[in-house]
Amino acid sequence: MTAHFNHTIIAATDAADSAVFYGDLLEADDLPSWGPFVNIGIAGGVMLQFAVPPVEFPPQHYAFLLDDEHFDRAYAKITSQGREHWADPQRTRPGEINRGHGGRGVYLLDPAGHYLELITHPYL
């Protein structure tokens, strides 16, 4: 069987808040939640589970590939909400998007401090 990505747990300071944030930007489906997990679903049957771990956690990086129309909608939400965002992961180009790798991209922080990247073209 070919391997397929199925799910991941994203550490959160507030699981419901993080699920709403990702669900809004990624236009994700709400999924049944259980135990400590608040779950949403994105394309390809991938489930994102948000939970508050019992320990402090370091920031992670999560990148999502969006089509151009979805990127436009997500970027409009980012700007209308006044969210800080950058064209680069070093955060030296605030308030911009990039046009690298034949597409567009933007970086921002999620409510738990994770680095979120939205791109319209894969790197490879």
Side-chain angles (χ1 to χ4, degrees):
M1 177 177 163
T2 299
H4 294 274
F5 189 73
N6 180 260
H7 73 278
T8 192
I9 298 170
I10 299 176
T13 52
D14 180 317
D17 187 41
S18 287
V20 168
F21 173 81
Y22 279 80
D24 186 43
L25 278 182
L26 302 179
E27 300 175 356
D29 296 321
D30 290 329
L31 295 178
S33 298
W34 60 84
F37 305 110
V38 178
N39 304 320
I40 62 172
I42 59 173
V46 174
M47 181 170 56
L48 303 179
Q49 298 185 283
F50 300 89
V52 179
V55 297
E56 287 191 37
F57 52 88
Q60 300 294 310
H61 175 255
Y62 300 101
F64 295 93
L65 180 64
L66 309 178
D67 64 30
D68 285 308
E69 293 80 16
H70 188 165
F71 184 91
D72 290 340
R73 292 189 302 273
Y75 190 67
K77 289 176 185 179
I78 292 165
T79 57
S80 71
Q81 295 170 2
R83 292 197 177 272
E84 281 190 286
H85 59 283
W86 303 269
D88 61 320
Q90 296 81 19
R91 299 192 278 182
T92 64
R93 296 175 50 202
E96 299 178 35
I97 64 171
N98 68 62
R99 299 195 180 277
H101 303 278
R104 295 178 292 157
V106 67
Y107 297 83
L108 66 153
L109 299 177
D110 80 0
H114 296 299
Y115 300 95
L116 181 60
E117 179 182 7
L118 305 176
I119 57 175
T120 61
H121 194 274
Y123 290 152
L124 299 176

